[in-house]
Amino acid sequence: MKQVFLKIAHKELIQKPKYALDKMSEVSRVILKGFFPNSQEVEKMYTEKMPTVKKVLKLLQATPSTKAESQSFKYLQQYLRGLDDVLLRKMLRFMTGSDVMAVEKIQIMFITVTTI
């Protein structure tokens, strides 16, 4: 009985996904070779997408209309400058949903909260 379960598990977990990957690679191989003709291009893209404080700060776009908003934006920038690589990636993931440079800009919007 154990052997039957192992064979079924092997087929479902290994063989089926492998077949799908083989078929996808046949189609995408030509397209990806156009984007990445050699391994240096892949490495270049990887390093371009890695976040740095300078890159993340360049992405920030804000239009503060009051002194308090300007100060808040400066505090955000100061906070980001103080982050190490690991925390910067986590913060980028919080703001964009990705821990690599996957967006062209990060729009900072200010809202006014009023209490009752």
Side-chain angles (χ1 to χ4, degrees):
M1 187 72 151
K2 182 178 179 180
Q3 286 300 102
V4 172
F5 283 126
L6 288 175
K7 284 184 180 183
I8 292 171
H10 183 268
K11 182 176 181 176
E12 292 297 317
L13 297 174
I14 306 294
Q15 291 177 345
K16 280 187 178 179
K18 174 73 170 109
Y19 176 78
L21 286 174
D22 288 343
K23 294 301 174 188
M24 288 189 311
S25 72
E26 291 173 9
V27 174
S28 63
R29 181 175 292 127
V30 175
I31 296 168
L32 290 176
K33 281 210 181 244
F35 287 116
F36 308 111
N38 54 43
S39 62
Q40 288 82 14
E41 291 296 319
V42 174
E43 191 172 322
K44 178 183 170 191
M45 184 204 63
Y46 181 74
T47 55
E48 287 173 356
K49 297 294 181 183
M50 293 303 297
T52 63
V53 171
K54 186 176 180 180
K55 288 179 186 178
V56 173
L57 289 175
K58 278 180 136 178
L59 291 178
L60 299 180
Q61 293 185 351
T63 52
S65 58
T66 66
K67 186 177 178 180
E69 289 175 356
S70 295
Q71 191 66 35
S72 296
F73 186 60
K74 287 179 185 176
Y75 286 142
L76 174 62
Q77 291 171 322
Q78 183 179 1
Y79 175 75
L80 291 173
R81 283 186 189 98
L83 296 178
D84 63 11
D85 290 343
V86 173
L87 290 176
L88 182 66
R89 289 174 67 101
K90 286 183 179 182
M91 184 65 173
L92 189 62
R93 184 175 192 93
F94 172 75
M95 292 189 294
T96 67
S98 176
D99 61 352
V100 295
M101 305 291 287
V103 297
E104 294 179 11
K105 65 180 179 178
I106 299 173
Q107 184 79 33
I108 307 297
M109 299 175 68
F110 300 96
I111 59 168
T112 303
V113 179
T114 56
T115 58
I116 299 176

